[in-house]
C-alpha cells in the first residue's frame, strides 16, 4: 500500500450538510475518521452529527481557511459548491473530486457539450441564452423540456413546453437565465451507474440500477436494473469512459435514458447519488464508504451486490396534515431498512428519508417495497 494513505483518526472535510453528507459522516465515523462539515444551515442533517460544523456560506473565507487548516482531505456532497472554493482549498490540501470536474457537472451546458464532444449520445438540445434562440414552433425539439443550466435539482428549474410561446414564458419565469431546451424523449427506461475512480485510475462500479421518477423526483430504484445484460454493461462502459475522460477521482453518478436500444447520457453528478442509496444495505461496500476510500487513498472496496434491492424515497408529501407516516407498519417488514435524515419541516417535494427492501428474490423485494410505499403515503 502506498504511504500517502490518510489514516484514522484524521479529520476529513465535507462541503455540504445534506443527507448525502450525513451518510458520508456515518461511513467516515465507522472507519475511525473525524469529519468537519461546512454548511450554512444551522440544522443541516450532516452538520448535526459531524465532529465540527462550520456554519457558514460556501464562499466564506474564514470558514474555508479553517477547513484548509484542520482537514487532511476534503470532498463534496453538493455540485453547486463554488469552483473557487474547491480551487483555493486544493492549494493546501487534498480535494477530490477536482474543481474542474465539479465545474462541468454544475453547468448543464458545459456538461452536455463535454459529453457530446466525447462522441456519446445525449437528447437533442439547444442552448438558450436569449429569447431569440428559442426555436420556432416547427422545430423537431417540441414537445421539449426547458432546464436552467445551473442550480436545478429534483426537477426544479424545469418546465415542459409544447411550443415557442410556452418556451418563452418558461424562459421568462426562469428570469432569462441560461437554459437548455431539450427534446422530450419517449423513455423506455431510466438507469444510472454510480462508480468510484481512485487516484491511480482504478474504477469500481456499482451494478446498473433502474430508476423511476415522479414529478421529476426519483421515486423508486431497483437494483440490479431489469434491462438486458447488454444495456447494463453498456451503461457501465459509458460511465467509466466519462470518469476516465474527466480524470475523475471520487464517486461519480451517471444518469441515462434508454430510448429503444440506445443509451443517452442525461446528466452526471460529482458525488454519491440518490440512486446509489441501495448500496448502503445491499452491497459489500456502500457508495459513502467508497467516497471515503477514494478521498483518503485506500483501495476501493468490493461493490458486490449481496441481495436484490428496491429503494423508495420518502418525501415531505408523506406527512398528510402534519401527521407522521405509519413508521411502525413499515418497520414491521423484516427485510426493510428505514433511513430518516432528521430534517425539520416535511415540505412537499423535500427528501426526508428513504427505505430499502432487500431480498434474495427481486419480485419479492419489489412487492414488499410497493406495499410499504403505500403504507407510508408515498406517491398518493
Ligand atoms: N429530455 C427528457 N425527456 C424525457 N424525460 C426527461 C427529459 N429530461 C428530464 N426528464 C425526466 O425528468 C427527470 C429529472 O430531470 P434531470 O434532467 O435528471 O434533472 P434533475 O437535475 O432534476 O435530476 C429525469 O430523470 C426524467 O425522468
Ligand atoms: Mg437527474
Amino acid at each position: 500500500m502506498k504511504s500517502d494513505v490518510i489514516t484514522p483518526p484524521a479529520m476529513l472535510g465535507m462541503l455540504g450538510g445534506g443527507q448525502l453528507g450525513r451518510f458520508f459522516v456515518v461511513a467516515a465515523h465507522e472507519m475511525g475518521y473525524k469529519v468537519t462539515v461546512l454548511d450554512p444551515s444551522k440544522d443541516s442533517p450532516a452538520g448535526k452529527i459531524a465532529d465540527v460544523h462550520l456554519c457558514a456560506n460556501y464562499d466564506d473565507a474564514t470558514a474555508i481557511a479553517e477547513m484548509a487548516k484542520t482537514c487532511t482531505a476534503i470532498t463534496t456532497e453538493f455540485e453547486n459548491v463554488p469552483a473557487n472554493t474547491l480551487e483555493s482549498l486544493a492549494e493546501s490540501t487534498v480535494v477530490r473530486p477536482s474543481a474542474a470536474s465539479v465545474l462541468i457537472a454544475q453547468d448543464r451546458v458545459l456538461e452536455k457539450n463535454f459529453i457530446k464532444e466525447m462522441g456519446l449520445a445525449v437528447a437533442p438540445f439547444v442552448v438558450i441564452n436569449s429569447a431569440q434562440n428559442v426555436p420556432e414552433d416547427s422545430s423537431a425539439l417540441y414537445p421539449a423540456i426547458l432546464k436552467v443550466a445551473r442550480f436545478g435539482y429534483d426537477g426544479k428549474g424545469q418546465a415542459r413546453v409544447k411550443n415557442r410561446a410556452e418556451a418563452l414564458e418558461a424562459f421568462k419565469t426562469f428570469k432569462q437565465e441560461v437554459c437548455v431546451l431539450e427534446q422530450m424523449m419517449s423513455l423506455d427506461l431510466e438507469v444510472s451507474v454510480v462508480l468510484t475512480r481512485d487516484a491511480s485510475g482504478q474504477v469500481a462500479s456499482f451494478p446498473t440500477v433502474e430508476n423511476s421518477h415522479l414529478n421529476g423526483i426519483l421515486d423508486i430504484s431497483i437494483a440490479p436494473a431489469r434491462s438486458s445484460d447488454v444495456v447494463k454493461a453498456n451503461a457501465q462502459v459509458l460511465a467509466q469512459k466519462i470518469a476516465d475522460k474527466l480524470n475523475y477521482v471520487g464517486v461519480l453518478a451517471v444518469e441515462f435514458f434508454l430510448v429503444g436500444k440506445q443509451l443517452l447520457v442525461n446528466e452526471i453528478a460529482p458525488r454519491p447519488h440518490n440512486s446509489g442509496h441501495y448500496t448502503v444495505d445491499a452491497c459489500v461496500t456502500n457508495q459513502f464508504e467508497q467516497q471515503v476510500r477514494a478521498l483518503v487513498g485506500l483501495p476501493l472496496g468490493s461493490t458486490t451486490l449481496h441481495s436484490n434491492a428496491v429503494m423508495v424515497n420518502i418525501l415531505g408529501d408523506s406527512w398528510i396534515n402534519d401527521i407522521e407516516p405509519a413508521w411502525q407498519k413499515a418497520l414491521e417488514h423484516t427485510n426493510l431498512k428505514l433511513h430518516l435524515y432528521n430534517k425539520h419541516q416535511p415540505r412537499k417535494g423535500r427528501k426526508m428519508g428513504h427505505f430499502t427492501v432487500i431480498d434474495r428474490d427481486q419480485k419479492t423485494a419489489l412487492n414488499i417495497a410497493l406495499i410499504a410505499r403505500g403504507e407510508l403515503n408515498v406517491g398518493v
Side-chain angles (χ1 to χ4, degrees), residues 122 203-204 206 217 221-222 320:
V122 297
V203 170
F206 291 106
I217 307 177
S221 290
I222 300 173
I320 297 167

Side-chain angles (χ1 to χ4, degrees), residues 12-184:
L12 307 178
M14 169 52 77
L15 299 165
Q19 63 269 18
L20 301 176
R22 183 179 171 96
F23 281 111
F24 173 88
V25 174
V26 171
H29 279 171
E30 286 290 327
M31 297 164 82
Y33 295 94
K34 297 195 171 74
V35 185
T36 293
V37 164
L38 174 64
D39 187 286
S41 149
K42 254 198 231 101
D43 51 27
S44 69
K48 278 183 206 166
I49 62 165
D51 300 272
V52 178
H53 174 202
L54 297 170
C55 190
N57 286 328
Y58 298 113
D59 56 0
D60 184 289
T62 314
I64 293 167
E66 177 70 15
M67 264 195 130
K69 200 172 80 191
T70 56
C71 298
T72 320
I74 298 172
T75 188
T76 183
E77 60 120 39
F78 173 59
E79 59 263 45
N80 293 319
V81 167
N84 282 346
T85 298
L86 296 171
E87 274 158 10
S88 82
L89 287 168
E91 283 167 17
S92 55
T93 178
V94 175
V95 176
R96 293 172 172 164
S98 69
S101 295
V102 176
L103 200 73
I104 291 173
Q106 65 186 203
D107 184 320
R108 284 190 199 276
V109 176
L110 296 180
E111 178 181 76
K112 284 190 175 297
N113 285 333
F114 177 82
I115 291 161
K116 233 174 103 172
E117 278 158 22
M118 281 183 66
L120 308 187
V122 297
F125 72 98
V126 286
V127 177
I128 308 288
N129 39 32
S130 99
Q132 277 106 336
N133 303 138
V134 177
E136 298 299 333
D137 286 350
S138 56
S139 164
L141 286 181
Y142 298 115
I145 174 159
L146 188 74
K147 305 180 179 179
V148 290
R150 295 173 59 88
F151 298 109
Y153 71 100
D154 285 349
K156 291 192 183 70
Q158 296 195 2
R160 295 172 183 220
V161 295
K162 291 197 284 295
N163 49 41
R164 182 163 200 267
E166 288 186 9
L168 284 170
E169 189 58 37
F171 186 50
K172 223 166 95 188
T173 312
F174 297 150
K175 305 202 162 53
Q176 314 213 319
E177 271 181 51
V178 179
C179 289
V180 296
L181 184 73
E182 206 176 286
Q183 185 177 335
M184 198 68 204

